[in-house]
Every structure is written in structure tokens, then in C-alpha cells.
Amino acid sequence: MPAKFQISLCAALLTLAALACSVSAQIRLFGPKPTPQPMRKASDLIRRQEPVKINQSLIKEATPDNVHVVVSLPKQRAFLMIGDQIVIDSPISSGKRGHSSPTGHFSVLEKDPNHRSNIYGDFVDRSGRTVRAGISAKIDAAPSGTHYVGASMKWFMRLTAEGVGMHIGILPGYPASHGCIRMPPDGAKLFYDHVKVGTPADVGDY
């Protein structure tokens, strides 16, 4: 093939390629716009955890005198147990980095069905409107005309003198609390009903 013909052929091919790119760009610019993807709900971004599991035959035998609690931080689960048998298996959310849940051997020091935090909470006005959210009452003075309302910790089971305990809370699927063991409403209530002050509780890498 003559050299001049080869050059002409290459030039033609390059021209066709340039035209194809131009047409493609015009289609993208002037054609129908791509359909935007709907925003995902916050609930869709939360990693799902297995729900509370109950051993129906064992729970009939469970009493505050024969149960103990085991909290597995790696598994993000809490277990109410008789001996080495699991009676109730509940998802949890333990303390996040910088506020990790204490580990070791504890016992339930207090039970309070409607406990409120004296560290974390909101300042609200006389009408109940939140003026400042997520404020520590130990650090900040209440703004004029407001009072402090501690964060709700329903079905609270205290494990340490510093205030760490087990209670109802948000479960995003990973450690997210300020040290407490958050539980779903059904799990917290079941544990609360089956423990007593003095019930042993182990928290750690189980």
C-alpha cells in the first residue's frame, strides 16, 4: 500500500473518531438527563442486627436468682444466661472509640425503670421546647428561662458507680454510645425483668 494512501487512511480514521466523540458528547449534553437516584433514608444506612432471640423453654426457668449477664463487645450482643445456656440473646451498641465500655466482672448495682442521665441531656424552656441539645449539665449553666432534662435511659441497669449501665437506646449496628450498653426496647425490658440488684454481669471479648 502506498505511503500517501496509508497517511490518507489514517487521517480519515482519526477524523471519523473525532466526529464520533463529538456526536457522543452532544448526545450527552443535549440528550435526556439521567434520572437522579433517590436519597437513601437514614434507616437504610443503619446496619441491621439480628433481633432479640428467646429460648422459650429456658425462659420459664429463669429467675433473678439463677441468671447472669454476659456482654460480648466483638459480637455486639448481650446474653442473659443460666449457667452456660443462653436464655435471651439481644443486640447491643456499646461504647464508641474514646468512650469505650468498661470491661471486667460487674454486678447490677441499681435498677431504675425511668432513669435519666445527669451528664447528657437537653436544656428546655417552659413550653418544653429544646433550646440546647446534647449539652452536659455538669459543664454548662442552664440558659435563662430553661431547665435541664437528662437523656432518657429507660429500663436502666447500673453496672458501675460512674453511671455506666444497660438501657434502651439507638442501635446503629456498631459501638456508638458514650460507654453504656444500649439495647432495643424488648431486649432491655426482658433483661430488666429477669435481673436483680446483685446479678453478675461480665463485659468483654466473649
Side-chain angles (χ1 to χ4, degrees):
M1 183 181 295
K4 288 185 179 180
F5 181 77
Q6 289 180 343
I7 294 171
S8 299
L9 181 60
C10 288
L13 290 173
L14 287 172
T15 302
L16 285 174
L19 284 172
C21 290
S22 175
V23 170
S24 176
Q26 289 179 12
I27 290 173
R28 286 197 300 272
L29 287 173
F30 303 108
K33 294 181 179 179
T35 304
Q37 295 297 317
M39 289 186 66
R40 296 176 67 184
K41 297 179 182 178
S43 58
D44 294 333
L45 301 176
I46 294 176
R47 192 175 73 211
R48 302 297 181 189
Q49 289 170 283
E50 288 292 319
V52 174
K53 302 173 184 177
I54 303 170
N55 185 319
Q56 296 295 342
S57 60
L58 271 181
I59 200 168
K60 297 173 184 176
E61 303 174 19
T63 72
D65 294 316
N66 68 2
V67 299
H68 65 279
V69 174
V70 174
V71 176
S72 170
L73 299 180
K75 295 177 181 176
Q76 290 292 282
R77 307 292 294 190
F79 307 100
L80 187 75
M81 306 185 70
I82 298 176
D84 59 358
Q85 298 184 88
I86 297 173
V87 181
I88 303 169
D89 171 357
S90 172
I92 64 158
S93 177
S94 58
K96 60 187 177 181
R97 182 177 297 180
H99 296 276
S100 57
S101 300
T103 59
H105 305 291
F106 306 96
S107 61
V108 176
L109 301 177
E110 173 194 0
K111 292 178 62 180
D112 184 353
N114 293 297
H115 187 73
R116 286 192 175 274
S117 173
N118 63 355
I119 300 177
Y120 302 102
D122 303 325
F123 289 117
V124 300
D125 61 19
R126 293 184 181 87
S127 65
R129 181 176 62 92
T130 298
V131 175
R132 285 192 199 168
I135 304 298
S136 170
K138 290 188 174 181
I139 298 174
D140 298 285
S144 177
T146 70
H147 63 282
Y148 175 77
V149 177
S152 176
M153 297 179 168
K154 193 170 178 62
W155 307 123
F156 182 71
M157 295 159 276
R158 183 187 296 274
L159 298 181
T160 74
E162 294 73 28
V164 173
M166 305 173 70
H167 59 81
I168 288 178
I170 297 171
L171 275 66
Y174 51 83
S177 81
H178 283 85
C180 282
I181 309 297
R182 296 179 185 171
M183 305 183 73
D186 52 346
K189 180 63 164 61
L190 282 166
F191 273 62
Y192 188 92
D193 287 344
H194 287 88
V195 303
K196 66 178 182 179
V197 173
T199 295
D202 295 324
V203 181
D205 297 334
Y206 301 109

